[in-house]
Amino acid sequence: MTKIIVIGAGVSGIAAATKLLENGFRNLLVLEGESRIGGRVHTIPFASNVVDLGAQWCHGEKDNVVFQLANPHGFFSSATTKYDNFACIKSNGDVVDEKISSRLCEMAIGILEGNKDELKTYLGSLGSFIVEKYGKLLETEQYKDIDKNTAYQFLDFFHRYENSIEASDTWYDTSARGYLHYWDCDGDRLLNWKDRGYKTILDLLMKKIPNPTNAFDIEDKILLNKTVTKIDYGRNDGFVNVQCADGTSYLANHVISTVSLGVLKENYLSMFEPALPRYKVNAIQGLGIGTVDKIYLEFEKPFWSDNWQGFSLLWEQSDMEEVKKRSAWLQDVFGFYIVDFQPNILCGWISGPRARMMEMASEDEIRRDVMFLLRKFLKTDVPEPKRVLTSSWYSNPHFRGSYSFRSVTTDLLQTSAADLAKPLTNSQGVPILQFAGEATHDHYYSTVHGALETGWREAGRIIDFYKRPLSNL
């Protein structure tokens, strides 16, 4: 009987496994390095409800498989904070006039939305494109009344905000042309899961919802705490041998790897036997993945007003120099915002190399420094939080990053997600080593719906292979 191993029990791995089970492939094993399933979907109890340390929103409605699976059950509501009309506060406590911040936001976003034809042929980075356009627009009649210092403080904020969307260390790493590879799904792009969390998508895939009695018998096929260290796909007997850190090994006819791009970057030289072909290595080296982290603060009760949604941080240069001496990672915390269905929580966002610095700090250090930041900007007696909770997507060896993007190196190496996704076959054309996960999606990379689609894609590849006439096998 055909034996299939899926490496990784994140959304793409669970999607692949459940699709295979649905089509009669029972000789299946899922190897997961963590002590839980979900991958970069990680919902945990916190405060009065749950929070998502990883994926948080369903981004869009049309052509979004997550929306299609979950919406019939009424699981979604629209996020209160929209992140495209920023309330901005300077590090000296000055609140930027809402009309000014709105105009600056419209200008910055308009550069991206209104110049797509030019972006298609632009050979530089996204950062170079935006900075050049932004500077020129500030000199026009439309914007010349805006204080230049405020305008460039906003640009500095927008840089950090855009890095969090791309998961880039800097927008000078992001490809301007590659920025357009991503496709937005029409409809509400910030749909929250009310009081359920993103883990609900796993229950939907495993058919625990709506009727648990119809759920797939998948739990006994998932082995947790199984970190894969070697994939030998060059054996003469046609099997693939998957070896784990605990000394166990497993043979399979087909292996679907859903490990993150970050793990591939760190381990591709030692993980695969024989070495991966050059086009595959180029994809691993050329596609980008960065770090985006959250800092959840639970308070005894809200210290903010009912209509307050949070704020974005604009830095005075002198204050920036001060904070560098205190804790350098604080510079890249770009905002604190409320969390829907969690009335006593603020969520701070940080990305890039300083997010990785934050991951190395202790909880006490993070609490102390974040409170310093809140009190500095809000100029009020912000109470001490009851609890602090942070994500750590880079320091976890099973992820080494948050999600992928198209880098300038992607352009230089002329590589693509399709190269990463292309299966490796044996001499008879049998797909023996396949690749799934958000980074392998041409247009929905960095999203859960993209990850889900790639799991279905690779399961479908195996299903279709065995539907071929025997004369073609």
Side-chain angles (χ1 to χ4, degrees):
M1 182 183 292
T2 301
K3 177 67 176 288
I4 303 167
I5 289 177
V6 177
I7 301 173
V11 168
S12 55
I14 295 297
T18 50
K19 179 67 71 174
L20 288 164
L21 288 170
E22 191 175 29
N23 284 270
F25 291 84
R26 302 294 176 188
N27 197 3
L28 174 73
L29 191 63
V30 181
L31 302 176
E32 169 55 51
E34 291 279 289
S35 59
R36 61 175 181 86
I37 68 170
R40 283 167 278 176
V41 168
H42 191 191
T43 305
I44 64 171
F46 188 73
S48 60
N49 196 343
V50 296
V51 292
D52 282 303
L53 288 175
Q56 185 166 339
W57 295 288
C58 173
H59 294 295
E61 301 170 41
K62 185 178 180 182
D63 298 325
N64 185 325
V65 292
V66 169
F67 181 82
Q68 291 164 5
L69 286 170
N71 190 58
H73 304 284
F75 289 154
F76 294 130
S77 68
S78 185
T80 301
T81 303
K82 294 301 185 184
Y83 299 92
D84 58 1
N85 187 15
F86 304 103
C88 297
I89 301 178
K90 295 187 178 186
S91 54
N92 61 9
D94 290 347
V95 178
V96 179
D97 184 275
E98 185 179 342
K99 292 180 180 178
I100 298 297
S101 60
S102 294
R103 289 171 64 195
L104 290 170
C105 182
E106 289 169 5
M107 177 173 66
I109 293 175
I111 290 170
L112 296 173
E113 295 299 321
N115 295 281
K116 290 185 176 179
D117 287 341
E118 193 174 343
L119 273 170
K120 289 177 183 177
T121 58
Y122 190 81
L123 298 180
S125 69
L126 184 69
S128 297
F129 186 86
I130 292 173
V131 170
E132 181 184 351
K133 293 286 187 185
Y134 192 89
K136 289 180 178 178
L137 283 169
L138 283 179
E139 300 303 321
T140 64
E141 285 292 322
Q142 186 177 359
Y143 296 106
K144 72 175 186 178
D145 62 306
I146 296 179
D147 173 67
K148 293 294 189 294
N149 187 48
T150 299
Y152 280 102
Q153 287 174 354
F154 181 88
L155 181 64
D156 182 58
F157 153 75
F158 192 73
H159 180 191
R160 295 194 296 275
Y161 167 75
E162 188 62 38
N163 288 341
S164 76
I165 294 175
E166 299 297 316
S168 55
D169 282 0
T170 166
W171 58 15
Y172 296 108
D173 288 342
T174 304
S175 163
R177 290 180 296 167
Y179 174 82
L180 296 178
H181 290 180
Y182 179 84
W183 289 356
D184 280 314
C185 294
D186 289 342
D188 194 331
R189 298 175 188 174
L190 290 175
L191 291 166
N192 65 55
W193 291 83
K194 298 182 181 177
D195 56 353
R196 301 185 64 94
Y198 221 128
K199 69 178 178 60
T200 308
I201 194 63
L202 302 169
D203 293 334
L204 287 164
L205 287 170
M206 294 186 289
K207 297 196 182 300
K208 293 182 177 181
I209 298 172
N211 185 358
T213 60
N214 294 331
F216 286 122
D217 183 21
I218 191 174
E219 275 82 358
D220 61 344
K221 299 183 183 300
I222 301 174
L223 298 182
L224 302 176
N225 300 305
K226 289 287 184 179
T227 301
V228 172
T229 56
K230 178 77 74 174
I231 303 171
D232 182 355
Y233 66 96
R235 294 163 56 99
N236 293 329
D237 60 6
F239 288 101
V240 180
N241 185 30
V242 179
Q243 301 171 28
C244 298
D246 63 4
T248 56
S249 62
Y250 306 87
L251 292 176
N253 302 99
H254 309 276
V255 171
I256 300 175
S257 171
T258 73
V259 299
S260 80
L261 177 61
V263 172
L264 290 176
K265 282 180 178 291
E266 184 172 63
N267 299 305
Y268 74 90
L269 287 174
S270 62
M271 181 178 281
F272 299 97
E273 182 68 35
L276 293 174
R278 185 70 247 176
Y279 77 88
K280 189 73 72 176
V281 172
N282 281 352
I284 292 169
Q285 292 178 337
L287 296 170
I289 184 168
T291 308
V292 181
D293 280 322
K294 301 175 188 177
I295 307 167
Y296 285 110
L297 304 167
E298 180 193 2
F299 295 91
E300 189 67 42
K301 60 182 180 180
F303 64 84
W304 52 90
S305 61
D306 289 343
N307 60 353
W308 191 76
Q309 297 180 17
F311 69 102
S312 303
L313 283 65
L314 271 57
W315 283 97
E316 296 283 352
Q317 188 58 42
S318 59
D319 291 323
M320 182 73 82
E321 295 303 320
E322 175 195 352
V323 83
K324 280 182 185 178
K325 298 173 184 176
R326 181 184 179 93
S327 289
W329 62 265
L330 285 174
Q331 300 168 81
D332 277 352
V333 178
F334 63 83
F336 293 92
Y337 309 102
I338 63 168
V339 179
D340 286 307
F341 297 91
Q342 284 279 23
N344 299 348
I345 284 183
L346 286 184
C347 181
W349 289 82
I350 183 172
S351 65
R354 294 190 180 103
R356 298 191 281 276
M357 290 174 62
M358 184 274 293
E359 291 184 15
M360 304 307 293
S362 70
E363 182 180 326
D364 286 343
E365 289 171 330
I366 293 170
R367 174 194 293 265
R368 179 198 67 206
D369 290 339
V370 168
M371 293 310 297
F372 163 80
L373 207 57
L374 281 172
R375 289 163 178 159
K376 181 173 184 60
F377 277 78
L378 295 178
K379 301 299 182 189
T380 188
D381 185 21
V382 179
E384 284 292 318
K386 289 175 58 178
R387 282 194 294 175
V388 176
L389 176 69
T390 63
S391 58
S392 53
W393 291 111
Y394 178 78
S395 54
N396 188 320
H398 297 130
F399 302 104
R400 292 298 190 224
S402 300
Y403 38 87
S404 66
F405 67 100
R406 301 294 180 260
S407 71
V408 291
T409 309
T410 311
D411 294 341
L412 289 172
L413 293 179
Q414 297 182 334
T415 189
S416 67
D419 289 330
L420 185 59
K422 187 176 180 180
L424 301 180
T425 60
N426 64 16
S427 57
Q428 286 77 47
V430 178
I432 56 172
L433 178 55
Q434 299 163 239
F435 296 83
E438 55 85 14
T440 71
H441 201 294
D442 285 330
H443 301 293
Y444 293 150
Y445 54 91
S446 79
T447 68
V448 177
H449 56 277
L452 198 162
E453 282 193 8
T454 66
W456 282 350
R457 180 193 68 208
E458 295 310 312
R461 198 185 301 276
I462 294 174
I463 294 163
D464 291 345
F465 177 80
Y466 285 100
K467 288 180 178 177
R468 292 164 59 185
L470 290 177
S471 59
N472 292 340
L473 294 178

